Each structure stands twice: as C-alpha cells, then as structure tokens.
Amino acid sequence: MSAALLDFPPAGPSARDLMERALDPHMLLGMPHLNGNGLSETWLMKELGHRHWLMLACHLRLDNADFRTADGEEAYAAICATSLTDARFDVVQANDILTIHSRLSAVSRTRTSTRHELSIHGRSVGAVELISTFVHRTIKDNNHSIARVTLPEPQGERFQPSRLAEKDADIRNGRSATHFGFQVPANKALRAFQFDPSASQEFNGAGLFYFAEYQALADRALENWFPRKGPVVRKDVFFLGNIERNESVFFDLIDYSDEQKTVHGQLRRENGKVIAKIFGTWKSLC
C-alpha cells in the first residue's frame, strides 16, 4: 500500500505583505529612474502616487488598494494637487540609493495628504506633497463625468492643515488671485502646444489620463519653447479635470519670467475647459 504525495505549491506573499515591501524607504536607482537631468520627475511622481495609494489603503485598513463606494462601485484616489519643492534632481546618478521618508495625514473628510522627503546619502534632493480625493464616474466609461465621492473613514480621524490643500481649494473655487507671482485667472495664452495622448502610454489602468503625465506634457511643450531650460527646482500642479481617449489636449503658456525663471501654464481640452494649472521654477529658463 502506498500513500500518494500531494504537491502543494508554496504560499506566496499576500497583497498586504507586498504593499509593505513597496513602501520600503530605500530604492537602488538605475536607468528607469533617471533622465538627462538626473532623477526623472515623471518616474518620481508615478512612484509617489503609487506609495500614496498604498499608504491610503493601509490607513483605511484595507488588504489592498481596491477602493469602493458604499454601494460597491469602483472609486479612485485621484490626485488633485502636487507640490515639488527644493528639487536637486541633477545631483542624482545611477546606483545611488534614494531614501523616501513618507507620512500621511487626513486634510478633510474627502482629502488626504502624503508628504515625501527625498534624500541621497543623507542629503536632501527635494520634497513632494500629494493631495488626493476619492472620485468615481457618474456616467459609465465617461472621463468627463468624474465627481467626488465620500468613502468610510477611520473613527476619531483628526484633520491636519495643508497649505497645498488650501491653495488647491482657492484655485478650484476662483478665490486665488496670484500664485508664484502670477495672476491665477488666465489671460490670453502667449503660445499653445497641441498633444494627442496615447491610450497605451499616458492613460492609467483605470482608463484615466494619468496625473504624472500632465506635467510630462507641459515639460515637452516648454522644452520646445525654451530648449535650454535647466532642471526643475519647484513645481505646483492643480488638477481640475480629465480627458477621454482619442481627445486632444493643449498646453497654454500663460506667462513667464526670465528673471525669476518661472512659468505659469495650463492644460485644457479643445473646448477650452481647463484641466490643470501648472506653476514652475527652473534653474534656468531661456
């Protein structure tokens, strides 16, 4: 009489285990993380967006970042504002170890902030804050129908102040007159650049135009107009809408200062609807 041996595959790590691994503060940098100016801003925003969503899932005591409305519909932690300060990306090289120290705080019942301090060998190379709010589509498969939605929150939540969240609310509601020294209400654009985003490259897994691609498109336009533009030092982006696949998007240069090396621009749909306000400072602008 012989006993059959059952071959059970080894249990793999859980999604929760992998979320914790993905939030490890240390990363070895290589070519995917870099560009011609050092650390890639677009890669960084994607990585910090991912960490923001994982941190939010852990904060809400979820096993993964599958956010749902009260009636079980898909919800998304949409980034509504980002702020990059004191960037020194040009000193970052391959094989450096990037350290990301992050913390999360609730800003209101609908908005969450994560702050990320970036360093190489103990030296700061920048700081980033991201503000998100939960949204869902009010019309199936329609990116123009994105609207905010409230999800259950931990009991006893204490809200923390955020200047970025306050500025975002002021810009969104037309209460902000100036930012970076520029008039926030848009005048006639000095120049405009048209893009036709790729569904396979610039839209995310939720079918939305990915937040990290807003600043990437803006940079491509600015490099066309200012070919010797230096590395970014500071940048604030306020996200006001989304686009459909196969829809053109335009970057308008609203104003700029050679002396201050600053730019005010916006992304808009063809019908004029503004979907982002962008303010930035670079080491050089010419």
Side-chain angles (χ1 to χ4, degrees), residues 16-282:
R16 184 66 182 224
D17 292 335
L18 293 175
M19 285 201 299
E20 293 176 359
R21 292 187 198 179
L23 292 171
D24 189 288
H26 306 292
M27 297 189 67
L28 179 63
L29 300 180
M31 290 303 108
H33 315 102
L34 304 173
N35 63 21
N37 285 327
L39 187 66
S40 165
E41 182 185 356
T42 302
W43 168 82
L44 177 67
M45 287 301 175
K46 291 181 179 181
E47 174 65 23
L48 297 184
H50 182 53
R51 289 179 180 239
H52 179 100
W53 296 316
L54 297 183
M55 292 169 68
L56 186 52
C58 292
H59 177 69
L60 295 175
R61 302 181 179 89
L62 302 177
D63 290 331
N64 54 46
D66 181 19
F67 304 113
R68 297 281 167 172
T69 64
D71 56 3
E73 292 186 4
E74 266 191 310
Y76 311 105
I79 303 299
C80 52
T82 63
S83 181
L84 167 66
T85 55
D86 300 320
R88 298 178 63 244
F89 294 170
D90 52 323
V91 305
V92 181
Q93 302 177 13
N95 301 310
D96 280 343
I97 296 175
L98 175 66
T99 299
I100 306 173
H101 286 304
S102 306
R103 65 185 186 277
L104 177 147
S105 60
V107 174
S108 69
R109 292 187 65 251
T110 58
R111 292 182 297 169
T112 303
S113 164
T114 57
R115 293 177 172 87
H116 310 269
E117 303 291 336
L118 315 173
S119 62
I120 300 285
H121 307 305
R123 297 179 60 190
S124 175
V125 293
V128 177
E129 182 177 6
L130 289 79
I131 305 289
S132 74
T133 188
F134 284 111
V135 301
H136 72 143
R137 292 182 177 91
T138 58
I139 301 173
K140 184 177 174 60
D141 298 327
N142 186 321
N143 289 351
H144 293 180
S145 73
I146 291 293
R148 294 190 181 192
V149 63
T150 302
L151 266 63
E153 61 188 41
Q155 295 296 315
E157 189 79 87
R158 292 187 176 182
F159 302 138
Q160 301 295 324
S162 164
R163 290 185 179 180
L164 178 62
E166 292 171 3
K167 175 59 72 170
D168 174 57
D170 287 344
I171 286 179
R172 198 173 295 274
N173 295 311
R175 296 192 299 261
S176 184
T178 62
H179 194 55
F180 275 55
F182 295 114
Q183 295 294 317
V184 171
N187 299 312
K188 184 178 179 180
L190 301 176
R191 298 176 182 175
F193 206 104
Q194 179 178 345
F195 296 95
D196 295 310
S198 165
S200 66
Q201 297 295 318
E202 286 143 346
F203 284 75
N204 64 16
L208 296 168
F209 187 50
Y210 200 15
F211 86 97
E213 300 296 342
Y214 285 66
Q215 60 85 23
L217 291 191
D219 269 6
R220 284 160 60 184
L222 291 172
E223 286 171 7
N224 184 272
W225 299 324
F226 305 100
R228 289 185 286 178
K229 175 176 66 66
V232 66
V233 175
R234 181 186 173 200
K235 186 181 291 181
D236 287 356
V237 184
F238 303 94
F239 303 88
L240 307 172
N242 213 277
I243 61 172
E244 298 284 8
R245 297 187 184 194
N246 303 317
E247 182 177 4
S248 295
V249 62
F250 298 80
F251 178 74
D252 294 332
L253 178 64
I254 303 301
D255 202 355
Y256 70 98
S257 168
D258 280 330
E259 182 180 356
Q260 300 297 324
K261 305 177 183 63
T262 54
V263 164
H264 171 201
Q266 65 183 23
L267 284 169
R268 61 173 171 86
R269 300 175 190 151
E270 192 167 9
N271 65 4
K273 166 66 176 177
V274 176
I275 62 170
K277 300 287 286 184
I278 300 175
F279 303 84
T281 303
W282 285 264

